[in-house]
Amino acid sequence: MKHNALLSVKEVADYLQLKESTVYTWAQQNRIPATKVGRRWQFRRSDLEAWLAEHVQPVEDSASER
């Protein structure tokens, strides 16, 4: 899939492992980068990846803390 491909709400929900209703809510609240085209929300893959890089906290390796 192209880096700047537009994704649907369902594709974003699958990608982020969220409910579609959560993706709709976040888009309406500007909590996730989205564009409304007509009546449909569209998401640019590159914008989502940048958003994830800013908002996802790295998982700590508990074995390294011992």
Side-chain angles (χ1 to χ4, degrees):
M1 188 175 288
K2 289 184 178 182
H3 191 65
N4 282 329
L6 291 176
L7 304 176
S8 68
V9 169
K10 181 177 180 356
E11 291 170 321
V12 173
D14 290 343
Y15 180 55
L16 299 179
Q17 298 179 11
L18 297 169
K19 292 181 181 181
E20 289 181 39
S21 60
T22 300
V23 176
Y24 276 114
T25 300
W26 286 8
Q28 291 169 340
Q29 296 173 347
N30 294 319
R31 292 181 61 189
I32 190 169
T35 302
K36 196 161 188 188
V37 180
R39 296 180 65 188
R40 300 178 62 187
W41 286 101
Q42 297 287 303
F43 305 82
R44 186 174 300 157
R45 179 179 283 279
S46 59
D47 292 344
L48 279 177
E49 290 174 354
W51 177 83
L52 278 171
E54 291 177 21
H55 290 86
V56 174
Q57 297 177 2
V59 177
E60 294 182 18
D61 184 10
S62 60
S64 65
E65 294 177 8
R66 295 180 188 173

